[in-house]
Amino acid sequence: MPLLQALLFLLILPSHADDVTTTEELAPALVPPPKGTCAGWMAGIPGHPGHNGTPGRDGRDGTPGEKGEKGDAGLLGPKGETGDVGVTGAEGPRGFPGIPGRKGEPGEAAYVYRSAFSVGLETRVTVPNVPIRFTKIFYNQQNHYDGSTGKFYCNIPGLYYFSYHITVYLKDVKVGLFKKDKAVLFTYDQYQEKNVDQASGSVLLHLEVGDQVWLQVYGDGDHNGLYADNVNDSTFTGFLLYHDTN
């Protein structure tokens, strides 16, 4: 083995002085023999570069960065088409009662139709078959009763109530309540001698504007016992119950 190494050394010696520098410069590039090898070991020529290895696995996600500033609003897009009407949903449960609202302003008062009268006799009646003139006025604010004729004149169409209460003295009494020249109600009372009697009647009548209503003694003078004085009254009353709405 020492002999082989010596031969190899002689082969690589330079033939002139310039080669000494080259050998000295190359000497450091010689790879030292690995430990535990024989004394005549010599390094080989460097091999070709190896192939790239396979890519490694993805690394772990990094921590989230800070929130950026809010960007500018984008342009308003075109209006979309109206969609179809959806199916009506089921009725929901009844809600709780709401809070009562404020009291409203007072409304205009409805017009009240008024027509009424109440009159009485001042003296004994002696003339039959003409309207009885009740000249004692208890109430006639609308002046729908005319004391000069004894007739009530209808100014408001509607349903009216009429009544009369008469005192009977000295003769029998038969009176009729007339509407437009036609008797619609009769009352007869037979006088009892040495006594004062009373008779009365009432009726509901529907009247049109211009209709007239009055009382008169019916028949001849034998039934003219209608009487009144300072302690006995004979009265005639009428008033509107409700007016026509048509």
Side-chain angles (χ1 to χ4, degrees), residues 13-67:
L13 286 176
S15 57
H16 48 79
D18 292 338
D19 295 333
V20 176
T21 303
T22 304
T23 305
E24 290 177 356
E25 292 175 356
L26 294 174
L30 295 176
V31 178
K35 294 181 180 181
T37 60
C38 60
W41 179 87
M42 189 175 66
I45 300 172
H48 297 287
H51 298 288
N52 293 333
T54 58
R57 294 181 298 174
D58 294 338
R60 296 181 180 177
D61 295 336
T63 57
E66 295 182 359
K67 184 177 181 180

Side-chain angles (χ1 to χ4, degrees), residues 39-233:
W41 179 87
M42 189 175 66
I45 300 172
H48 297 287
H51 298 288
N52 293 333
T54 58
R57 294 181 298 174
D58 294 338
R60 296 181 180 177
D61 295 336
T63 57
E66 295 182 359
K67 184 177 181 180
E69 296 182 359
K70 185 176 181 180
D72 297 332
L75 298 176
L76 183 65
K79 183 177 179 180
E81 296 181 359
T82 304
D84 297 333
V85 179
V87 180
T88 303
E91 184 178 355
R94 185 174 182 180
F96 295 102
I99 300 174
R102 295 183 302 171
K103 185 177 180 180
E105 298 294 332
E108 296 182 1
Y111 183 78
V112 179
Y113 293 87
R114 293 184 176 91
S115 181
F117 71 96
S118 184
V119 293
L121 279 181
E122 290 184 301
T123 58
R124 178 182 175 185
V125 176
T126 59
V127 181
N129 297 318
V130 294
I132 301 171
R133 294 176 59 242
F134 294 86
T135 55
K136 183 187 290 187
I137 306 299
F138 300 113
Y139 179 87
N140 190 30
Q141 187 172 356
Q142 294 79 36
N143 293 316
H144 293 170
Y145 172 80
D146 186 356
S148 63
T149 62
K151 294 181 178 182
F152 168 78
Y153 293 86
C154 176
N155 288 266
I156 303 171
L159 184 66
Y160 287 79
Y161 174 79
F162 295 96
S163 66
Y164 51 88
H165 176 85
I166 56 179
T167 298
V168 182
Y169 185 59
L170 297 178
K171 290 184 179 182
D172 297 343
V173 165
K174 186 177 182 180
V175 296
L177 186 143
F178 284 74
K179 171 189 172 184
K180 295 194 303 184
D181 295 326
K182 182 178 181 181
V184 295
L185 181 67
F186 293 102
T187 296
Y188 175 76
D189 184 82
Q190 189 175 18
Y191 170 68
Q192 302 294 325
E193 191 174 354
K194 298 182 181 180
N195 196 10
V196 176
D197 205 356
Q198 284 82 32
S200 62
S202 61
V203 66
L204 287 173
L205 294 176
H206 182 270
L207 302 182
E208 301 290 346
V209 174
D211 287 349
Q212 303 171 18
V213 178
W214 69 91
L215 281 176
Q216 74 180 38
V217 174
Y218 195 83
D220 54 27
D222 293 337
H223 298 96
N224 193 16
L226 196 62
Y227 182 81
D229 58 21
N230 59 346
V231 293
N232 294 283
D233 285 305

